[in-house]
Amino acid sequence: MNDPKHPELHVMEEPTNDFLDVAIGFGAFFGVMLLMGVVATVIQIMTR
């Protein structure tokens, strides 16, 4: 059962949720870009 030559026999120990992984990644990237945009806008407004 634990023969490394047959990967199809190995049960996935930690099931993954790909949609949640993509959603978290997209949300984090969106948050970073939004923060950068807000900071750049504030800097531009204050330097006028």
Side-chain angles (χ1 to χ4, degrees):
M1 191 72 175
N2 287 331
D3 188 9
K5 295 180 211 152
H6 297 286
E8 67 274 2
L9 296 177
H10 296 282
V11 178
M12 193 178 199
E13 294 176 5
E14 290 185 25
T16 59
N17 187 347
D18 293 334
F19 179 75
L20 187 61
D21 291 341
V22 171
I24 290 173
F26 179 81
F29 185 73
F30 180 79
V32 169
M33 289 294 136
L34 182 66
L35 181 65
M36 287 175 58
V38 169
V39 169
T41 303
V42 168
I43 290 173
Q44 186 175 6
I45 289 173
M46 293 183 76
T47 58
R48 285 186 180 189

